């Protein structure tokens, strides 16, 4: 149940032959490049041998370093990235390229009614490199002909129902505070990307996804079982307007454009009124794409934003990884409940 952000014909990055080749091998720590990587048991034996071979005087300092050093952070983060990419690959194998089910009648209809040709490309499933590859293979195009049979072309509008890996990392590593002991609710969890990233990149005690579409609930449950996320993730197959108690206890609510393409305007207004009525825990956080002002601008509601929330200014420069799509990050807004 997730609406999408539009990428209005922005060019996809091309790096040489369209593949990432620079630096270390994708998803593999630097020690593994150039020589065979050890399996788990061999690596454990090697680490224990190194610890046992340390002189007694230095052993306490070694153990303290192992427990508290940040030197291992890159391996942990890299592994989490790989897990999410594996999940994306699993999901691609269960979905058509457009990553939409026929059961999404209204969303499909609204996309077809868009004034300009539009293609749905799920940002969690397909990063820029993947799209480049599909275009090279002829499975996708970035352009359409404005006059059939001519060379007059224009850029297609790409839209996504999900956060990309970059946006998920920005959300959990730079936007949200420490979530230890906190409850996160993703309204319209769809493929579950926000839930899975929250499991890997945060210490949230519980992550709930509320999704109306049974097909997407089934996909999420499949991933939760396969990757053993069941201890902290729960998917609720329901309309969010039936989940007052869940919203009332949430510490963080994520809403990535959940209503516009899936509900008519009256239903959208009703849903937003319900959210505003039940998301009232003082100090809790609300993450939205786009801003609340934009989401509510075309709806008739009685919501007074100044009496409900205050916006928290985000530092979009803090995300320093390469190939950052600043425009996409700037669509993420954070609010604190008053």
């Amino acid at each position: 149940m997730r609406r999408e952000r539009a990428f209005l014909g922005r060019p996809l990055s091309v790096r040489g032959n369209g593949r990432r080749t620079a630096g270390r091998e994708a998803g593999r720590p630097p020690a593994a490049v150039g020589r065979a990587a050890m399996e788990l048991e061999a690596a454990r034996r090697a680490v224990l041998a190194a610890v046992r071979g340390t002189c007694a005087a230095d052993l306490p300092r070694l153990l303290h370093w192992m427990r508290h050093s940040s030197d291992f952070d890159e391996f942990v983060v890299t592994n989490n990235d790989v897990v999410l990419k594996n999940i994306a690959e699993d999901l691609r194998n269960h979905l058509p390229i457009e990553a939409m089910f026929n059961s999404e009648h209204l969303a499909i209809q609204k996309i077809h009614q868009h004034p300009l040709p539009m293609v749905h490309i799920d940002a969690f499933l397909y990063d820029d490199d993947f799209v480049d590859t599909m275009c090279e293979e002829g499975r996708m195009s970035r352009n359409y002909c404005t006059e059939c049979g001519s060379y007059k072309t224009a850029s297609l509008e790409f839209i996504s129902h999900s956060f990309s890996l970059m946006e998920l990392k920005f959300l959990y590593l730079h936007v949200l505070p420490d979530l230890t002991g906190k409850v996160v609710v993703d309204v319209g969890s769809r493929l579950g990307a926000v839930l899975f990233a929250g499991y890997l990149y945060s210490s949230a005690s519980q992550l709930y996804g509320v999704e109306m579409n049974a097909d997407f609930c089934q996909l999420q449950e499949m991933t939760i079982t396969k990757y053993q996320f069941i201890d902290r993730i729960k998917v609720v197959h329901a309309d969010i307007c039936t989940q007052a108690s869940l919203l009332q206890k949430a510490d963080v609510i994520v809403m990535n454009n959940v209503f516009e393409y899936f509900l008519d305007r009256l239903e959208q207004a009703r849903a937003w009124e319900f959210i505003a009525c039940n998301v009232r825990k003082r100090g809790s956080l609300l993450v939205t794409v786009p801003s609340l002002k934009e989401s509510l601008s075309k709806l008739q509601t009685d919501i007074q934003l100044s009496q409900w929330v205050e916006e928290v200014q985000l530092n979009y420069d803090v995300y320093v990884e390469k190939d950052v799509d600043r425009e996409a990050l700037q669509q993420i807004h954070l609010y604190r409940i008053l």
Side-chain angles (χ1 to χ4, degrees):
M1 192 183 105
R2 173 148 290 147
R3 196 277 249 169
E4 48 269 7
R5 260 177 345 281
F7 299 92
L8 297 174
R10 67 176 179 83
L12 296 170
S13 55
V14 178
R15 306 170 190 84
N17 62 0
R19 307 292 201 281
R20 293 183 190 274
T21 56
R24 70 187 62 165
E25 294 177 26
R28 180 176 289 184
V33 178
R35 68 169 186 259
M38 288 185 285
E39 299 293 338
L40 174 61
E41 285 305 315
R44 289 173 60 181
R45 288 195 296 270
V47 170
L48 289 173
V51 172
R52 292 184 180 119
T54 304
C55 66
D58 290 334
L59 185 58
R61 285 187 294 170
L62 175 65
L63 295 176
H64 182 273
W65 169 75
M66 293 177 70
R67 290 189 182 112
H68 303 288
S69 173
S70 61
D71 292 349
F72 301 102
D73 288 355
E74 65 172 295
F75 299 99
V76 175
V77 172
T78 299
N79 182 64
N80 290 338
D81 291 356
V82 171
V83 171
L84 281 181
K85 289 178 181 179
N86 287 342
I87 290 173
E89 181 177 3
D90 289 344
L91 293 172
R92 285 196 297 269
N93 292 331
H94 287 83
L95 287 163
I97 289 180
E98 63 272 17
M100 297 185 71
F101 285 117
N102 291 332
S103 52
E104 299 182 277
H105 306 295
L106 185 57
I108 294 172
Q109 179 183 351
K110 287 191 175 185
I111 288 175
H112 288 165
Q113 291 173 346
H114 196 268
L116 295 175
M118 177 184 288
V119 177
H120 177 250
I121 301 297
D122 192 282
F124 178 63
L125 300 183
Y126 303 103
D127 61 14
D128 282 0
D129 286 343
F130 208 106
V131 173
D132 287 343
T133 300
M134 289 196 294
C135 289
E136 291 169 4
E137 294 173 349
R139 300 165 61 194
M140 181 183 297
S141 174
R142 284 188 284 269
N143 302 299
Y144 70 97
C145 179
T146 60
E147 296 177 7
C148 188
S150 78
Y151 291 98
K152 188 176 181 181
T153 63
S155 296
L156 281 167
E157 182 173 337
F158 283 1
I159 56 174
S160 174
H161 286 300
S162 303
F163 282 126
S164 66
L165 177 59
M166 172 197 67
E167 293 166 308
L168 291 168
K169 293 174 69 174
F170 178 67
L171 175 64
Y172 282 108
L173 301 181
H174 301 295
V175 173
L176 296 173
D178 179 16
L179 298 181
T180 301
K182 304 299 184 180
V183 174
V184 176
V185 174
D186 183 21
V187 180
S189 50
R190 198 170 180 83
L191 297 177
V194 169
L195 307 178
F196 309 145
Y199 190 101
L200 296 168
Y201 294 127
S202 83
S203 298
S205 61
Q206 289 293 318
L207 298 120
Y208 291 91
V210 182
E211 175 55 57
M212 288 181 63
N213 187 290
D215 294 323
F216 285 114
C217 287
Q218 185 176 355
L219 276 183
Q220 291 177 81
E221 294 289 1
M222 175 195 73
T223 303
I224 291 168
T225 300
K226 177 174 180 177
Y227 289 87
Q228 300 180 18
F229 292 159
I230 195 169
D231 58 320
R232 292 167 54 206
I233 295 180
K234 182 177 181 181
V235 176
V236 181
H237 179 206
D239 182 334
I240 190 60
C241 293
T242 66
Q243 300 299 308
S245 61
L246 183 57
L247 290 173
Q248 290 163 13
K249 75 175 184 179
D251 299 293
V252 177
I253 300 95
V254 180
M255 301 182 66
N256 183 9
N257 276 339
V258 292
F259 299 136
E260 183 176 342
Y261 272 62
F262 297 88
L263 303 174
D264 63 37
R265 289 194 177 181
L266 287 177
E267 291 173 323
Q268 290 178 53
R270 177 181 67 91
W272 275 113
E273 294 276 9
F274 186 86
I275 295 289
C277 180
N278 288 283
V279 177
R280 288 290 177 178
K281 183 193 284 188
R282 187 182 299 273
S284 59
L285 299 173
L286 178 62
V287 178
T288 72
V289 175
S291 67
L292 286 173
K293 182 178 179 180
E294 181 177 341
S295 294
L296 298 174
S297 62
K298 298 178 181 178
L299 305 177
Q300 296 295 322
T301 72
D302 294 325
I303 298 172
Q304 300 296 318
L305 290 180
S306 62
Q307 299 176 22
W308 178 35
V309 299
E310 62 175 353
E311 184 160 11
V312 179
Q313 296 304 310
L314 300 179
N315 180 6
Y316 300 102
D317 295 322
V318 71
Y319 194 92
V320 296
E321 294 193 22
K322 63 180 180 179
D323 303 324
V324 172
D325 184 347
R326 185 183 175 91
E327 183 180 353
L329 298 184
Q330 288 176 330
Q331 295 185 62
I332 299 175
H333 294 264
L334 178 67
Y335 301 89
R336 182 177 294 108
I337 306 303
L338 300 174

